[in-house]
Amino acid sequence: MSDRACHIEHFYELLKQLENRVGGKRQLSTCNWNMGWPNRGVYFFFENGEYRSTSDSELRVVRVGTHAVNANSKSRLWNRLYEHKQDGGRSVFRNHVNAALKSRSERNQDHNHSRCISNYVGDMPFLWINVDGKDGHLKRRKIESNAIALLSHRTRGVVDKPSKRWLGHSSDNASIKRSGLWNVQHTKSKYDPRFLDLLKNCVNETGKLTELDSDWDSPACLSDINGPRS
């Protein structure tokens, strides 16, 4: 096994530990701002049907992202995630999915494209880590850039090959097609395996979210009818 393959295995072992710590992957379609998200962090999106080459049940990471990579940034983790969730947000990720879906569905004039983007991104499982504190912007940047470089196939051998049905094949962006990720930046970069130690520390500092009531998305105007929420 090559050094990179070993590092990728280590990366996914850390994500398994993270998943256990936070109680499982989430989907944006069922997430809310009031869940106790870390102020700042890094997130990892997976994609249904995209499995690792070593397993027919373990999903592969298809997008790595972060926010607040400048020391004075006021951005919060949920704000960034919400931009991926909502229509009309400032999400490059949504733009990439948008273009690929348009390319794949251009023959169907009745296709409800806006709804499809939100459904597609909203159904993608994801994990997150808490990366805050002193020099947090540098740590977030380091984890994001190195994780992308590690997983990207663009300039190195393919590990965890995308499936033939992966939507990214319909992208008009060469970086996405060749990397196997919904990322463009850092897909041609070299990675420093020492970032895995930082990732491990951040995994150990990440805890569970607050569970929402079953009616968390009910309209506020119904509160008088149903009674106050506990």
Side-chain angles (χ1 to χ4, degrees):
M1 183 180 291
S2 68
D3 287 345
R4 175 170 169 254
C6 289
H7 295 148
I8 289 177
E9 288 303 318
H10 188 188
F11 172 83
Y12 278 103
E13 284 298 323
L14 291 174
L15 290 194
K16 288 179 184 177
Q17 296 175 27
L18 174 63
E19 186 168 358
N20 289 333
R21 287 186 63 85
V22 301
K25 299 181 181 72
R26 299 282 178 151
Q27 293 173 306
L28 283 178
S29 60
T30 60
C31 288
N32 181 278
W33 66 271
N34 191 26
M35 295 174 70
W37 297 95
N39 281 335
R40 295 183 173 90
V42 179
Y43 50 87
F44 309 92
F45 273 92
F46 303 79
E47 197 162 346
N48 296 314
E50 289 300 308
Y51 298 104
R52 299 200 57 212
S53 59
T54 56
S55 171
D56 58 1
S57 61
E58 184 180 359
L59 296 177
R60 70 180 185 90
V61 171
V62 297
R63 166 83 183 187
V64 182
T66 190
H67 65 112
V69 294
N70 297 315
N72 297 323
S73 175
K74 303 299 183 182
S75 173
R76 294 293 184 265
L77 176 61
W78 173 250
N79 297 142
R80 188 63 185 130
L81 291 171
Y82 187 68
E83 287 178 340
H84 298 324
K85 180 178 181 177
Q86 69 170 340
D87 289 333
R90 298 181 301 170
S91 170
V92 174
F93 181 22
R94 279 184 68 98
N95 291 343
H96 290 323
V97 173
N98 175 6
L101 283 170
K102 277 188 175 180
S103 176
R104 181 168 288 188
S105 62
E106 62 184 1
R107 299 176 184 176
N108 186 348
Q109 299 301 316
D110 297 325
H111 181 67
N112 188 326
H113 189 65
S114 178
R115 182 187 302 169
C116 194
I117 301 169
S118 294
N119 288 346
Y120 198 94
V121 175
D123 287 344
M124 294 173 72
F126 72 96
L127 292 170
W128 64 97
I129 51 173
N130 178 17
V131 191
D132 208 345
K134 183 179 180 180
D135 296 329
H137 63 294
L138 299 177
K139 295 176 182 177
R140 290 188 293 275
R141 188 186 303 168
K142 183 176 182 178
I143 292 174
E144 180 197 39
S145 62
N146 280 280
I148 293 170
L150 172 65
L151 300 175
S152 172
H153 308 150
R154 191 171 179 188
T155 59
R156 53 190 65 88
V158 175
V159 178
D160 299 330
K161 183 178 181 180
S163 71
K164 293 181 179 179
R165 294 175 58 88
W166 183 49
L167 179 62
H169 293 309
S170 297
S171 174
D172 59 1
N173 191 300
S175 295
I176 292 172
K177 284 183 175 181
R178 295 174 184 174
S179 69
L181 302 171
W182 292 105
N183 287 98
V184 174
Q185 292 186 331
H186 312 301
T187 56
K188 294 176 66 176
S189 303
K190 294 182 179 180
Y191 71 92
D192 181 349
R194 291 177 294 183
F195 92 94
L196 293 167
D197 293 329
L198 175 57
L199 176 60
K200 180 179 180 179
N201 292 337
C202 293
V203 167
N204 291 332
E205 294 174 359
T206 304
K208 291 185 177 181
L209 300 177
T210 302
E211 294 298 328
L212 294 173
D213 296 334
S214 59
D215 62 345
W216 68 269
D217 59 346
S218 296
C221 59
L222 296 181
S223 59
D224 291 336
I225 299 174
N226 298 330
R229 299 182 185 180
S230 57

